[in-house]
Amino acid sequence: MNNVEYNKKKEYYLNISELTLENLKLDYDCKQKNLFDSINYSLMAKGKRIRPIILLAACEMAGGNISDAQNFAAGLEMIHNSSLIHDDLPAMDDDDLRRGNPTNHIVYGEATAILAGDVLLVRPFEVMADACETKGQINALKYIAKCAGAEGMMGGQEIDLKCEGTVADEETIVVLNKLKTGALFKAAVVAGVMIAGADEQKIAAAEEYGDLLGLAFQLVDDLLDNNPEANTGKTKGSDIEKQKSTYLSVYGEDKCRELIDMCTNKAKDALSIFGKEAAFLCMLVEELATRVS
Ligand code: GRG
């Protein structure tokens, strides 16, 4: 796959993700319209949509149909947006900028932002359940739920909050990031191949790729948070200001870059079982390693 083909394919997955989110959007002129506005303010604020792109690509890589995966891709993006809204709240990271815009609670107030995050956590299970016709889809739904919950992203957030202001050891930093950031990436690729009906060996390969991609993604994120040139859409240097233990604080810049290269190469190797069908996801992990936003 060359760069032109890769970019075309990415645009295709992105368009499907946006279209599905638009079709599943809740937007009624009713007494709770303010809540719908708050939900749509965050959900439609053009994130990179990496998780739904990965889920759709993984499904195709394993021989599945995009139409069977669309609601799962949109659902996962909703869960991700739910976590961003809650992460920005004063009780969590207390951020006032997200994707270059004021955070949800700054615009709609804390109480409505909490509700918007809650809706974006339950709505996905409604739309994914709606799409469940096969055992693979049911397994994907369960896998996504597990990765989002206390054994996944939410558990990682708890560790992160408890580490604030302390110097966490390397093992703790690895576990917290594997859960907080990595779990939803793993969910994307594993759910995608499950929907396609992949066997255990292929699911294990997808899990390995997801873990490595998540690790590389967070390493890059830590470097970007510290880079004044990067366009993250967030307040810069907030990790240092909040005395967060990050990969950058424990490894330093050179080792972070070394690890990004190592994870990228290993992630590509992990997908060898899928042969040439893995080309898109191999190029994606490479692109994420060099991203500047
Ligand atoms: C209520 C669902 C819910 C969660 C509560 C707050 C929380 C638990 C978890 C926080 C998880 C979190 C925000 C992890 C950071 C992950 C991360 C690196 C986000 C940035 O992802 P990008 O770059 O963002 O894909 P865009 O804006 O492109 O979507």
Side-chain angles (χ1 to χ4, degrees), residues 45-51 77-88 92-93 98-99 117-118 120-121 148 153-158 160-161 179-182 184-185 217-218 221 232 234 291 293:
K46 303 284 176 218
K48 294 184 286 296
R49 310 300 198 203
I50 301 166
R51 295 153 193 83
E77 181 64 17
M78 289 181 207
I79 296 172
H80 166 59
N81 279 266
S82 159
S83 80
L84 298 182
I85 295 173
H86 281 197
D87 190 48
D88 292 335
M92 300 253 181
D93 272 5
R98 170 73 64 184
R99 294 170 176 162
D118 291 344
L120 284 170
L121 189 58
M153 176 183 64
M154 292 183 200
Q157 179 76 350
E158 171 68 11
D160 193 18
L161 293 170
L179 299 180
K180 190 181 98 160
T181 300
L184 282 202
F185 283 115
F217 190 91
Q218 189 59 53
D221 228 54
T232 59
K234 291 178 66 183
R291 75 194 164 95
S293 66

Side-chain angles (χ1 to χ4, degrees), residues 102-152:
T103 43
N104 198 297
H105 66 274
I106 295 288
V107 179
Y108 291 93
E110 246 182 278
T112 300
I114 291 170
L115 289 173
D118 291 344
V119 173
L120 284 170
L121 189 58
V122 291
R123 173 80 173 144
F125 292 93
E126 183 189 347
V127 303
M128 291 190 287
D130 254 352
C132 273
E133 284 173 354
T134 66
K135 186 87 181 100
Q137 288 172 315
I138 293 166
N139 287 341
L141 188 152
K142 286 200 271 192
Y143 199 89
I144 289 172
K146 208 173 174 64
C147 287
E151 294 161 271

Side-chain angles (χ1 to χ4, degrees), residues 75-267:
L76 189 61
E77 181 64 17
M78 289 181 207
I79 296 172
H80 166 59
N81 279 266
S82 159
S83 80
L84 298 182
I85 295 173
H86 281 197
D87 190 48
D88 292 335
L89 287 168
M92 300 253 181
D93 272 5
D94 194 10
D95 276 312
D96 51 16
L97 204 63
R98 170 73 64 184
R99 294 170 176 162
N101 300 314
T103 43
N104 198 297
H105 66 274
I106 295 288
V107 179
Y108 291 93
E110 246 182 278
T112 300
I114 291 170
L115 289 173
D118 291 344
V119 173
L120 284 170
L121 189 58
V122 291
R123 173 80 173 144
F125 292 93
E126 183 189 347
V127 303
M128 291 190 287
D130 254 352
C132 273
E133 284 173 354
T134 66
K135 186 87 181 100
Q137 288 172 315
I138 293 166
N139 287 341
L141 188 152
K142 286 200 271 192
Y143 199 89
I144 289 172
K146 208 173 174 64
C147 287
E151 294 161 271
M153 176 183 64
M154 292 183 200
Q157 179 76 350
E158 171 68 11
I159 302 171
D160 193 18
L161 293 170
K162 289 289 169 293
C163 285
E164 239 173 67
T166 71
V167 182
D169 59 42
E170 183 182 344
E171 192 209 334
T172 306
I173 293 174
V174 170
V175 173
L176 98 77
N177 286 301
K178 195 173 174 181
L179 299 180
K180 190 181 98 160
T181 300
L184 282 202
F185 283 115
K186 188 156 83 171
V189 62
V190 173
V193 304
M194 280 177 165
I195 293 164
D199 61 22
E200 275 180 25
Q201 216 187 340
K202 286 184 172 160
I203 290 170
E207 282 183 316
E208 196 184 342
Y209 171 88
D211 275 338
L212 289 158
L213 180 142
L215 176 52
F217 190 91
Q218 189 59 53
L219 284 158
V220 175
D221 228 54
D222 288 355
L223 293 179
L224 293 179
D225 183 70
N226 200 44
N227 176 356
E229 311 278 289
N231 172 25
T232 59
K234 291 178 66 183
T235 311
K236 280 291 163 52
S238 63
D239 289 342
I240 294 174
E241 195 196 307
K242 284 170 198 136
Q243 294 180 284
K244 292 237 178 204
S245 298
T246 64
Y247 285 127
L248 185 60
S249 67
V250 72
Y251 293 138
E253 193 172 332
D254 290 348
K255 173 112 191 262
C256 281
R257 293 197 190 285
E258 234 176 76
L259 286 170
I260 291 166
D261 282 349
M262 190 197 79
C263 292
T264 305
N265 290 329
K266 279 185 156 182

